[in-house]
Amino acid sequence: MIGTPLSLSEVFKIANTDKGLLAIAGKVQNNERITDEEGLLLFEKGELAFVGALANHIAERLHHGKVYFNRNFHIEPTNVCVFTCNFCSYSRQYKHRDDGWELGMEEMLDIVRRYDGQPVTEVHIVGGVHPKMNLEFFCELLTRIRAHRPDLHLKGFTAVELDYMIRKAKLSLEDGMKQLKEAGLQSLPGGGAEIFAPEVREVICADKVDADGWLHIHELAHGLGMHSNATMLYGHIEKYEHRIDHMSRLRQSQDRTGGYNCFIPLKFRNMDNDMSHIKESTIIEDLRLYAISRIYMDNFRNLKAYWPMLGRQTAQLTLAFGVNDLDGTIDDTTKIYSMAGAEEQAPSLSTEQLCDMITAVGRIPVERDTLYNELKVYAEAVVS
Ligand code: V47
Ligand code: SF4
């Protein structure tokens, strides 16, 4: 079993060579927030075993061994995109749209109809930013999905997609968000955040909404009573300082609104994109990052390992490093990561497989809805 937390006194022993790390362990024990400088120290000096034990301790304190998942599927309306993010393996420019896909209204509704009678609880709608798919089109999509399947939670559109479609409709962001909410939009996924620092953004995704714009849209959504997720794309050209800056802006935003459901670190995958020359991060760096985010992001209750991007074995391993959510069943409805070289080429897990992944490491599987209400707690984990 990988889940047994070290006692904090054991953690302190590991830390006793560095006063700064010792102070952080003390703060974790007392449930206090760490500073940006301390977050940076963890990235610079925190051994995997040390940060892992602290993160595991926090996750246990918050979730008592429970690990969440949901039953969901994706709709990816198109991979045609007006933007040119260098890390993206998925998008096609409008002039090359014949190499991509553009789903029509009925094709998207057919995807929803495929799940008639099945206990899915969420549809996640995300795609490229198509110059001809506008706000009106997406409002109609939401309205028609809601009419067909009112029990399905509609989570859709990154801040990048929203910023573009609302500006193109010549509406204020607030009015545009209100229209989408009226049409049925209930929450926002976390994509498009990448790394907030402008010097990194300029290199990896120069032409899309900036950090302030991303945060503004999420905070607007929170003000309208919607919830959202937050992501960070890591493991490319960013430095530790940029990660802390990113997480700090999110932590402050969460202090202002409390509207984020979870934080999702996204590992950069390097196949078939303009950053393919950059080596992918090691599993040790991945696990350290999950653990440090759990320690630093003290106002985010949920830390998600998105298994289609990490692969199921690494995702399972993150459960010992502060993660308490594995996203969902997916049912082979997303291409973003398979096109970027992820191991999962047709990502799909049954509820049984997700439960097995969780119980195998001594945790308790819990099916949740999008807002983390518990729908079903599965039998206590059998520790093998
Ligand atoms: O913003 C694109 C990332 C994001 C690559 O909210 C890449 O529940 C790694 O945000 N390597 C979109 N990452 C997907 C997203 C998401 C996924 C799952 C769940 C949720 C949620 C949100 O995908 C983009 C970008 O950061 N991405 N290309 C790549 N080569
Ligand atoms: Fe377009 Fe999103 Fe790919 Fe950027 S990451 S090019 S916005 S699909």
Side-chain angles (χ1 to χ4, degrees), residues 5-245:
L6 291 177
S7 73
L8 281 184
S9 60
E10 286 168 298
V11 172
F12 285 6
K13 272 187 225 146
I14 299 170
N16 69 6
T17 50
D18 186 296
K19 278 203 176 125
L21 292 176
L22 195 59
I24 294 170
K27 282 191 166 180
V28 168
Q29 183 161 39
N30 296 330
N31 207 359
E32 287 167 25
R33 175 170 282 191
I34 67 164
T35 63
D36 290 359
E37 292 69 30
E38 287 169 329
L40 199 55
L41 184 70
L42 288 177
F43 275 122
E44 281 164 354
K45 292 198 181 159
E47 296 282 347
L48 179 60
F50 175 73
V51 295
L54 291 181
N56 202 31
H57 178 83
I58 298 169
E60 285 291 321
R61 185 163 66 204
L62 284 169
H63 299 290
H64 313 286
K66 288 179 175 173
V67 173
Y68 296 91
F69 68 92
N70 71 348
R71 297 194 208 216
N72 63 350
F73 63 97
H74 289 222
I75 297 178
E76 295 181 351
T78 183
N79 66 339
V80 173
C81 191
V82 298
F83 297 117
T84 53
C85 306
N86 287 328
F87 55 79
C88 184
S89 321
Y90 164 88
S91 64
R92 297 291 175 269
Q93 287 177 17
Y94 186 68
K95 61 183 175 202
H96 300 307
R97 63 189 178 284
D98 290 347
D99 298 340
W101 67 87
E102 297 163 305
L103 300 185
M105 187 66 66
E106 284 306 319
E107 284 174 295
M108 289 192 272
L109 291 170
D110 277 345
I111 298 177
V112 178
R113 290 184 197 115
R114 240 193 265 158
Y115 295 90
D116 285 357
Q118 292 189 38
V120 287
T121 60
E122 174 192 282
V123 55
H124 177 161
I125 309 171
V126 68
V129 180
H130 193 292
K132 304 236 157 103
M133 289 183 180
N134 58 19
L135 181 69
E136 203 185 332
F137 176 78
F138 286 122
C139 283
E140 183 185 340
L141 175 68
L142 294 166
T143 309
R144 292 186 61 184
I145 299 176
R146 193 168 57 162
H148 181 75
R149 185 84 193 252
D151 59 319
L152 208 55
H153 185 105
L154 304 185
K155 174 172 115 184
F157 312 119
T158 62
V160 177
E161 294 166 272
L162 293 167
D163 178 64
Y164 183 86
M165 73 172 92
I166 296 173
R167 281 191 298 109
K168 199 150 187 202
K170 300 206 183 328
L171 290 175
S172 70
L173 286 169
E174 184 156 16
D175 287 346
M177 292 300 292
K178 278 185 185 158
Q179 274 196 21
L180 286 154
K181 188 184 175 200
E182 258 162 47
L185 189 66
Q186 288 164 290
S187 54
L188 272 47
E194 321 314 356
I195 285 284
F196 287 143
E199 63 269 30
V200 176
R201 235 176 156 74
E202 251 163 49
V203 180
I204 67 167
C205 57
D207 48 0
K208 69 187 189 188
V209 70
D210 65 7
D212 288 344
W214 189 99
L215 291 164
H216 179 58
I217 287 174
H218 280 253
E219 293 190 16
L220 266 179
H222 301 164
L224 295 171
M226 294 188 247
H227 285 255
S228 72
N229 295 338
T231 58
M232 175 170 77
L233 179 73
Y234 72 91
H236 41 91
I237 60 161
E238 89 289 359
K239 299 206 164 72
Y240 290 149
E241 294 91 292
H242 299 127
R243 295 182 184 180
I244 289 294
D245 171 71

Side-chain angles (χ1 to χ4, degrees), residues 87 155 189-192 194 229 233 264 267 269 304 306 337 340:
F87 55 79
K155 174 172 115 184
E194 321 314 356
N229 295 338
L233 179 73
I264 316 165
K267 174 190 172 102
R269 308 302 312 247
K304 184 193 282 190
Y306 185 57
Y337 290 100

